[in-house]
Amino acid sequence: MPDENEQLTELPNLEVPRPEEAGTHPTSTFNMPPMKNPPEELKDIAAKVSDPGSAEARKAEPPEKVRMAKPLPKAEDDPGTWEFGRRSFLRAAGWMSFFGFITIATVGALRMMFPRTLYEAPKVFKAGMPNDYLPMSVNEKYKDTERVWICRDEEKIFALVAICTHLGCTPRWLAAEGKFKCPCHGSGFTSQGINFEGPAPRPLERAKITLTETGELLVDKGTTFRFEKDEWTKPDAFIKV
C-alpha cells in the first residue's frame, strides 16, 4: 500500500477562496471578512442579515403596500337618506303588516274580557197604588222617565205608551182639550189612545199592567197590546177598579 504522504501528493489542488472574496454571498455572516468594494445591494442584504432591527435593515425592506381609500361618491350619485324604492316599500309593508296583526290580535284578546252586554234600564216598574189615580184622569208622572201615561176612566186603569205611532215622537197631553197631541206632525189621540187626526196610522199601544201581592200597580213595557189586533180586551191590558 502506498504510504500516506504519497496519497496526499496525488490529490488535486483545491481552490481556497481569498479573504477579500468572503462575504459576497447573501448568506454571509459577520464572521466572514468583508468584501472589498461590495455593491450597494449586497451591503443592504448583509446589514439585514447581520442585524434585522437596525435602521439599515429597515431601509432595505421593501415598503408595505399602502391601502388607498376609495374615493367618495359624487354628490349626484349619492342616493340620499329619503330614497324610497321597491325594496324599501316591501320592507315597510312587511313591518306594517306584522305590527298591524299584533295590534288587532291584542285588541281582540282584550275585547274578549268584556262581554257584549247592553245595560238598559229595566222595562218593569212599580207605579204606586190604584187609589193614587183619580177617575177620568191622565197621570204624567212617568212620562219623562218611563214614557208611559197612567190613565183611569170610570171602570179601569191602563198604561198608554207615550210613543207616537207615526214616527216615534212623544205626544203631549192637553188636559183642556182632553186629547194627546204630537208636536212633530200634528197627530191627535183621544184619552183612550185612539187616533183621530194627523198622519198617525193607528192608535197608541198599551203596556201590560198588573197588581203585585201588596196591591201596587206593576207596569211591564216589554209587553204591549195593540187596538187593531183586538188586544186591548186582554186581562193584562187593564185593571178593573
Side-chain angles (χ1 to χ4, degrees), residues 39-183:
E40 295 296 331
E41 292 82 1
L42 293 181
K43 290 181 179 180
D44 295 340
I45 294 174
K48 184 176 179 181
V49 172
S50 60
D51 190 4
S54 63
E56 290 78 6
R58 287 196 296 270
K59 291 180 182 180
E61 294 179 356
E64 295 182 357
K65 292 183 179 180
V66 179
R67 294 184 178 180
M68 299 298 293
K70 294 183 180 180
L72 296 176
K74 297 181 180 179
E76 57 270 14
D77 298 336
D78 188 6
T81 307
W82 299 102
E83 183 182 5
F84 197 78
R86 182 168 61 93
R87 183 176 299 178
S88 301
F89 171 77
L90 295 176
R91 187 183 298 111
W95 280 110
M96 291 176 64
S97 301
F98 172 75
F99 286 112
F101 171 77
I102 294 297
T103 303
I104 294 174
T106 303
V107 172
L110 294 176
R111 184 65 185 87
M112 291 178 60
M113 300 180 183
F114 302 94
R116 298 180 180 273
T117 305
L118 296 177
Y119 297 96
E120 296 181 352
K123 295 184 177 181
V124 180
F125 66 96
K126 293 180 179 181
M129 304 298 293
N131 295 333
D132 296 340
Y133 303 96
L134 299 175
M136 306 303 296
S137 65
V138 176
N139 191 293
E140 296 189 288
K141 180 179 179 179
Y142 302 101
K143 186 191 75 171
D144 295 332
T145 57
E146 304 292 345
R147 296 191 75 178
V148 169
W149 291 294
I150 306 298
C151 305
R152 179 175 177 177
D153 57 16
E154 295 178 353
E155 298 179 354
K156 58 186 178 296
I157 295 176
F158 55 91
L160 279 178
V161 179
I163 298 176
C164 181
T165 55
H166 178 220
L167 292 178
C169 298
T170 302
R172 298 174 181 174
W173 167 245
L174 304 178
E177 300 179 19
K179 66 178 181 180
F180 296 100
K181 189 70 174 180
C182 181

